[in-house]
């Protein structure tokens, strides 16, 4: 056991003080003895905590940068769009340990890595699919409490709205990591964020939190919205 201080800052999300002055967060691993990426594991009282790297996960970056609303809870059902190799989804699965994560990824090559990450996490359902076409996975995904989206596409706000119409409970939450350069390389990122926020609001979301995730990711913002439909 290492000499650490640990404190729960959101449901199943912990702040870990290793005594070196760096702010770290972690989730309690639901699969002991298994890393998903090269995350550091800390053992405390027979539990393993996976240090959540903000350079590899925009959700960790947003939390470290002061996100006030983290709607993913112990029993949440989450639709995760743009699951990639499973880095952030694995932490989301640690948080929603009694819930379910529907993890959509459209690149078959990356899907293989996602399957590895999911192999022992029984609360992740990997789905090879295009987030632009929710009807194609509507036979698998049920109504969810949260949609988390990180697809880095020009129409990412529209994708969130489209999926919310299919799957998000009224009063549920949408979280979206917006990458300005995926939308327009020439335009001022602040302008882009304002426009994307307007699209989300017109589409039915009440934006209740937003945080810039620099310096971990350049020109990225995380929006959290409540689905009013
Ligand atoms: N969210 C991941 C994490 O934090 O571990 C990283 C996601 S990465 C920035 C974006 C991913 O979205 C890529 O793996 C890409 O293949 C996927 N993607 C892009 N467009 C998509 C779409 N229309 N449907 C599903 N996945 C998509």
């Amino acid at each position: 056991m290492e000499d650490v201080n640990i404190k729960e800052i959101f449901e199943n999300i912990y702040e870990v003080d290793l005594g070196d002055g760096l702010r770290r967060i972690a989730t309690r691993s639901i699969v002991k003895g298994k890393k998903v990426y090269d995350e550091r594991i800390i053992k405390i009282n027979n539990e393993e905590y996976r240090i959540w790297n903000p350079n590899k996960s925009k959700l960790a970056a947003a939390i470290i940068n002061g996100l006030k609303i983290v709607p993913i809870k112990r029993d949440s059902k989450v639709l995760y769009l743009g699951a990639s190799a499973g880095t952030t989804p694995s932490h989301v699965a640690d948080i929603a340990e009694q819930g379910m994560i529907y993890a959509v990824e459209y690149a078959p090559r990356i899907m293989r890595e996602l399957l590895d990450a999911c192999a022992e996490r029984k609360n992740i359902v990997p789905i090879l699919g295009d987030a632009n076409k929710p009807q194609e996975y509507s036979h698998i995904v049920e109504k969810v409490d949260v949609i988390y989206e990180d697809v880095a596409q020009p129409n990412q706000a529209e994708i969130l709205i489209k999926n919310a119409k299919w799957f998000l409970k009224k009063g549920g939450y949408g979280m979206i990591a917006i990458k300005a350069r995926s939308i327009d390389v020439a335009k001022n990122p602040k302008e882009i964020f304002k426009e994307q926020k307007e699209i989300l609001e017109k589409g039915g979301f009440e934006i209740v939190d937003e945080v810039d995730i620099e310096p971990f990711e350049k020109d990225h913002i995380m929006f959290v919205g409540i689905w009013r439909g």
Side-chain angles (χ1 to χ4, degrees):
M1 184 169 130
E2 303 185 38
D3 187 18
V4 291
N5 279 318
I6 187 156
K7 157 174 110 187
E8 194 171 13
I9 52 170
F10 293 105
E11 207 165 296
N12 271 347
I13 303 174
Y14 300 84
E15 189 168 292
V16 180
D17 179 2
L18 298 178
D20 60 2
L22 276 183
R23 183 156 192 244
R24 291 187 180 82
I25 59 170
T27 57
R28 194 180 60 239
S29 184
I30 55 171
V31 183
K32 285 185 187 165
K34 184 147 188 255
K35 291 188 182 196
V36 173
Y37 51 111
D38 60 351
E39 74 272 29
R40 181 167 172 186
I41 291 181
I42 308 282
K43 292 186 183 165
I44 305 168
N45 296 338
N46 213 23
E47 295 287 359
E48 292 186 3
Y49 292 83
R50 302 164 58 229
I51 301 288
W52 195 356
N53 187 340
N55 294 302
K56 298 202 168 166
S57 169
K58 290 166 202 132
L59 182 51
I63 293 169
I64 286 182
N65 276 8
L67 196 70
K68 291 185 283 301
I69 298 174
V70 180
I72 303 164
K73 310 288 181 201
R74 189 168 278 110
D75 59 355
S76 294
K77 290 178 179 145
V78 180
L79 172 59
Y80 192 115
L81 305 172
S84 193
T87 300
T88 303
S90 69
H91 286 284
V92 172
D94 285 349
I95 300 167
E97 56 182 336
Q98 291 155 14
M100 195 55 76
I101 321 301
Y102 297 95
V104 178
E105 171 55 53
Y106 79 168
R109 190 188 54 79
I110 299 174
M111 191 69 191
R112 260 178 259 137
E113 290 175 51
L114 178 63
L115 290 174
D116 276 350
C118 299
E120 290 164 66
R121 293 190 142 72
K122 303 288 177 227
N123 59 344
I124 305 183
V125 179
I127 299 170
L128 181 64
D130 181 350
N132 280 296
K133 298 175 183 160
Q135 64 278 13
E136 291 187 358
Y137 43 85
S138 62
H139 59 296
I140 303 172
V141 179
E142 58 189 318
K143 283 271 181 193
V144 296
D145 305 291
V146 180
I147 300 181
Y148 181 92
E149 181 187 333
D150 178 18
V151 295
Q153 293 288 333
N155 65 335
Q156 46 198 355
E158 285 88 356
I159 291 178
L160 181 60
I161 294 161
K162 209 188 279 186
N163 279 271
K165 286 181 179 159
W166 274 87
F167 306 113
L168 192 52
K169 292 177 187 166
K170 273 262 168 70
Y173 285 82
M175 307 183 78
I176 182 166
I178 306 251
K179 177 181 181 181
R181 272 174 298 133
S182 297
I183 295 165
D184 190 327
V185 280
K187 217 177 203 167
N188 180 342
K190 289 211 165 48
E191 271 300 302
I192 295 175
F193 297 151
K194 191 166 159 267
E195 286 167 11
Q196 295 295 303
K197 188 174 176 177
E198 281 168 11
I199 295 174
L200 292 168
E201 287 173 336
K202 282 202 185 101
F205 280 100
E206 178 194 345
I207 302 301
V208 290
D209 202 358
E210 59 185 82
V211 62
D212 194 312
I213 57 173
E214 295 232 16
F216 304 109
E217 297 279 351
K218 199 171 151 41
D219 298 334
H220 275 71
I221 201 165
M222 174 82 69
F223 285 122
V224 180
I226 300 181
W227 179 237
R228 302 298 183 195

